[in-house]
Amino acid sequence: MKSTTPPNITRHIRQLIAKVVPGGKADYLTIHPEADAVVNECFPNVAAKIARAGGRMLCGWQIWEWPHVMVEAEFHAVWVSPEGQQVDITPKPHGEATILFVPDARRTYSGVVIDNVRLPVRDDLLVRHFIKASEAIVQVMNRGERAAQYGHISVPAHEIEPLMMAQGFLGQSISSGLRDHDPCLCGRGSKYKRCHGPGFEALFSK
Ligand SMILES: [Zn+2]
């Protein structure tokens, strides 16, 4: 995947913002990673910063864009300094220097996993299936009593592996520039929608 901070607030990004925070407003924030902050661990990172320096936690949504494929909102926390400045102290996997952030005053961090909200930016079965695979993986990871676990979660292989393989297959197809009417990535020669597509559709509907 090639997701990064969107350089512009496009029509699809406005649609995504309206979906996660009706009437919400996005702003670009500079990232100042704390020395001991961990990638993807914004909530503990901000809690540790507050313990050292005061201020407060602000929850909201970080907006990601996979250009020409999809836009995605990730539940996220930033630090608000005692002077009231919003700062993202969590380092990013690909070293982005800014984030696009929508504060969400209705929400606080409760420890419960909140899945990303994803919108396709083109009408293509591969992209819709990639989003379904991503959603199904989070649902399986949080099924039943797993929802209360944090950190390493043990999930039976037969539940998670077919979904991970599908997500990988779809991600690779999209990254290779394939569309749903192109020959399927597997090389058997038929279009995705007639080859791997129906099997994946059944898998995601389980
Ligand atoms: Zn195939």
Side-chain angles (χ1 to χ4, degrees):
M1 273 183 66
K2 310 273 193 296
S3 284
T4 190
T5 297
N8 307 297
I9 300 178
T10 60
R11 176 171 60 91
H12 290 106
I13 290 170
R14 286 197 299 274
Q15 286 172 358
L16 179 66
I17 292 169
K19 194 169 177 186
V20 291
V21 186
K25 187 176 172 300
D27 273 314
Y28 286 96
L29 304 184
T30 307
I31 302 164
H32 294 288
E34 281 288 296
D36 63 349
V38 180
V39 172
N40 289 336
E41 294 291 341
C42 58
F43 304 105
N45 292 342
V46 172
K49 177 73 178 175
I50 293 168
R52 277 195 301 274
R56 63 183 178 91
M57 182 182 289
L58 177 62
C59 291
W61 300 85
Q62 180 179 349
I63 307 296
W64 296 96
E65 178 181 42
W66 184 356
H68 314 296
V69 178
M70 67 174 187
V71 291
E72 186 164 19
E74 177 182 21
F75 191 55
H76 185 62
V78 300
W79 178 63
V80 183
S81 73
E83 295 77 31
Q85 195 188 2
Q86 297 174 18
V87 186
D88 192 3
I89 61 163
T90 299
K92 302 301 155 189
H94 307 296
E96 284 85 357
T98 60
I99 63 165
L100 184 60
F101 184 69
V102 190
D104 188 348
R106 302 166 307 171
R107 289 183 187 267
T108 53
Y109 177 62
S110 65
V112 174
V113 172
I114 297 176
D115 191 14
N116 295 5
V117 178
R118 306 165 181 90
L119 281 185
V121 304
R122 67 174 192 237
D123 182 21
D124 188 282
L125 189 62
L126 286 161
V127 178
R128 289 201 299 279
H129 277 180
F130 182 85
I131 290 173
K132 283 188 178 184
S134 304
E135 290 170 348
I137 286 167
V138 175
Q139 280 162 16
V140 165
M141 300 282 286
N142 293 284
R143 189 173 284 159
E145 62 189 21
R146 289 173 211 148
Q149 297 169 6
Y150 188 77
H152 180 75
I153 299 170
S154 169
V155 179
H158 71 274
E159 286 186 50
I160 195 80
E161 276 180 6
L163 294 170
M164 299 291 288
M165 284 180 63
Q167 189 196 39
F169 184 93
L170 291 158
Q172 204 184 332
S173 301
I174 297 165
S175 298
S176 309
L178 296 179
R179 304 284 176 126
D180 55 16
H181 54 263
D182 288 323
C184 188
L185 182 73
C186 69
R188 283 184 203 133
S190 355
K191 297 175 181 186
Y192 171 78
K193 54 171 76 173
R194 313 228 178 289
C195 184
H196 268 75
F200 284 163
E201 183 73 40
L203 174 68
F204 304 144
S205 310
K206 270 189 192 169

